[in-house]
Amino acid sequence: MNTKTYPSFRKSQDRIVALDTLRGIALLGILIMNIQSFAMVSAAHTDPSVHMNLAGLNYVVWMLSHVLADSKFMAIFSILFGAGIIVFTQQREAKGQATWRLHYARNLWLFVFGLLHAYFIWYGDILLTYALAGMLIYWVRHLRPLTLTLLGLLVLSVTPLLSIGGFWTAQIAGAEAIDAFLSDVNVPPEVLLAEIEAYQGTWLDTHQQRVMTSLEVHAFAVPFYLFWRAAGLMLIGMALFKWDILSAKRSAPFYNRIILFGVASGLPLCVASALKSSATDWEPAFTMFGWGLLYIYVGSLGLAAAYIGLVMRLVQMQLWPRLQQRLSAVGRMAFTNYILQSVICTFIFYGFGLGLFGAVERSAQILIVFAIWSLQLILSPLWLARYRFGPLEWLWRSLTYWNWLPIRR
């Protein structure tokens, strides 16, 4: 193993620039998919044909988003959260602090932030899931990297086993069981129309719809999908950090192999998911409970690995240093920037703001994504030039320590 260290990648105040840069890219990347949930009915995530035009450039945008972004950047974000647990606990243990109390205080407040985000801003919150998973996997952080990786893969397998196993059980039970199984995921037109009217309505209309959807997410998506995927990837993130993979310390050939392996294993599966889903008219039996789920579930892990390898190489080569500094600043303020994306997008699309929900097609949605990226790449370094933390990072840290920490430089 190459043990060469790149000291320029570790800055003052124990910041690991490679981690911050990767986090910034992941934070910006997740907006590619999230914008669709801000702008369109929730069912459009699994069946893009149910809402607005899907021809021409709109189809191209959906295809590229599905292949290159769907689940990839969220996977990286989950991996980095696991790595962050190692960084946080190691730094506190070195100072002789009781890490378990700080860790649980930190995740308890993240859980609260997640609830507020989900029920008062946007139903697509991931913070609550991260808090729950983080509370559990904390206790295995001292395991060896290989053990953490194998355990992570085992946890990751729970979701597809539950989903595919449930559908196969319905198949064995007969046609009536399958019809009943699929009736829960086929959204009737009147329900879609009611969702559009709610998000185009008043703040109270929006709030009632958001609460209902958030309850569904927390009752079904979190326990059957989000929790297991997040926890499994966090465990793998712990292992990758211990192996020095996420700090750009491994050799260039090592990262090149990760890129090649990730692209070769992930890209064909993600392309197959997009093409076959389209060919079957996004039939839930394929996209949500069959091979289509496995294609995107496994393929996204391969492409996420390729992205990680690519970013580590760019950091090592110190290409586009000014852009990397801006991406690192976005990553250092990931919590603030994540919530800021939700605030901006709900203002653009919901009725209490510009009220553009259901009126902006995918080809225009991606332009909004680029505009928000530009804004956050500009504002983040300007803020950090005067302050030590992002505003929400500062609040989160102060609540964790139950002490108002200094924020100005």
Side-chain angles (χ1 to χ4, degrees):
M1 182 183 76
N2 189 312
T3 58
K4 181 179 179 181
T5 301
Y6 300 85
S8 62
F9 304 148
R10 184 179 287 274
K11 299 295 185 181
S12 61
Q13 300 178 344
D14 296 321
R15 301 301 312 188
I16 301 175
V17 176
L19 278 179
D20 289 334
T21 304
L22 183 60
R23 188 180 296 108
I25 291 174
L27 186 279
L28 296 178
I30 60 176
L31 186 58
I32 297 174
M33 295 308 301
N34 286 352
I35 193 75
Q36 299 179 34
S37 297
F38 286 117
M40 308 171 68
V41 296
S42 54
H45 179 77
T46 53
D47 184 356
S49 65
V50 301
H51 191 196
M52 292 198 287
N53 183 277
L54 193 61
L57 187 56
N58 290 319
Y59 181 80
V60 172
V61 171
W62 173 83
M63 172 70 75
L64 292 176
S65 300
H66 184 83
V67 172
L68 301 178
D70 191 2
S71 302
K72 288 77 176 177
F73 294 107
M74 189 56 73
I76 296 173
F77 218 60
S78 301
I79 286 170
L80 289 171
F81 195 92
I85 293 175
I86 299 294
V87 174
F88 181 84
T89 54
Q90 284 182 349
Q91 291 176 349
R92 275 68 196 173
E93 287 168 352
K95 297 177 182 178
Q97 297 173 335
T99 59
W100 73 269
R101 292 185 179 181
L102 290 173
H103 175 79
Y104 274 88
R106 189 170 184 256
N107 281 268
L108 178 61
W109 284 113
L110 188 65
F111 181 85
V112 172
F113 284 125
L115 285 176
L116 294 174
H117 183 217
Y119 288 96
F120 291 94
I121 301 178
W122 179 52
Y123 66 84
D125 169 78
I126 196 63
L127 302 178
L128 182 146
T129 302
Y130 282 0
L132 293 174
M135 290 179 186
L136 179 64
I137 68 170
Y138 166 83
W139 299 104
V140 299
R141 69 191 188 284
H142 292 307
L143 295 178
R144 295 179 178 180
L146 180 59
T147 305
L148 286 169
T149 301
L150 295 176
L151 182 59
L153 292 174
L154 179 63
V155 173
L156 276 173
S157 68
V158 171
T159 288
L161 287 177
L162 287 174
S163 182
I164 295 175
F167 186 68
W168 285 351
T169 302
Q171 285 184 312
I172 295 173
E176 291 184 2
I178 294 177
D179 291 340
F181 196 82
L182 293 178
S183 65
D184 293 333
V185 296
N186 289 320
V187 184
E190 59 271 18
V191 173
L192 298 177
L193 181 59
E195 184 176 354
I196 294 171
E197 291 176 346
Y199 284 123
Q200 290 178 345
T202 65
W203 187 89
L204 183 59
D205 295 331
T206 299
H207 181 65
Q208 291 174 339
Q209 179 67 38
R210 179 173 52 238
V211 167
M212 182 178 65
T213 307
S214 294
L215 288 172
E216 292 177 355
V217 169
H218 293 155
F220 299 103
V222 171
F224 291 104
Y225 182 86
L226 294 175
F227 174 84
W228 301 103
R229 182 174 174 84
L233 289 168
M234 287 179 193
L235 290 166
I236 293 174
M238 289 179 170
L240 296 181
F241 182 79
K242 290 186 175 185
W243 274 323
D244 287 332
I245 293 174
L246 299 177
S247 50
K249 292 181 178 180
R250 303 296 290 268
S251 68
F254 177 85
Y255 290 116
N256 291 338
R257 288 193 293 270
I258 287 182
I259 296 169
L260 291 175
F261 173 79
V263 171
S265 61
L267 187 59
L269 288 173
C270 292
V271 171
S273 171
L275 294 178
K276 290 182 176 293
S277 296
S278 179
T280 60
D281 197 24
W282 293 276
E283 172 59 43
F286 176 80
T287 60
M288 299 177 66
F289 306 107
W291 288 107
L293 171 67
L294 283 179
Y295 289 161
I296 194 66
Y297 195 84
V298 177
S300 65
L301 302 180
L303 279 185
Y307 292 161
I308 290 172
L310 179 60
V311 173
M312 294 302 106
R313 284 296 294 129
L314 293 176
V315 171
Q316 284 185 344
M317 297 166 66
Q318 300 190 41
L319 291 178
W320 308 305
R322 292 187 179 181
L323 177 59
Q324 285 195 32
Q325 290 172 3
R326 293 184 180 278
L327 289 169
S328 177
V330 171
R332 290 179 61 183
M333 294 177 56
F335 184 13
T336 296
N337 281 320
Y338 175 66
I339 300 300
L340 181 60
Q341 288 178 357
S342 295
V343 171
I344 293 173
C345 288
T346 52
F347 175 79
I348 291 173
F349 295 109
Y350 289 0
F352 57 79
L354 302 181
L356 297 179
F357 188 88
V360 180
E361 295 184 342
R362 287 179 174 82
S363 56
Q365 291 172 22
I366 202 66
L367 299 179
I368 296 175
V369 169
F370 296 154
I372 295 175
W373 285 0
S374 301
L375 179 66
Q376 295 189 317
L377 286 167
I378 293 171
L379 292 181
S380 297
L382 289 176
W383 177 274
L384 291 176
R386 299 186 62 183
Y387 301 97
R388 299 172 61 195
F389 318 106
L392 288 182
E393 283 78 6
W394 168 79
L395 178 60
W396 186 21
R397 183 171 297 211
S398 296
L399 290 171
T400 297
Y401 288 95
W402 205 243
N403 182 30
W404 295 119
L405 301 176
I407 186 172
R408 286 186 176 273
R409 290 193 175 278

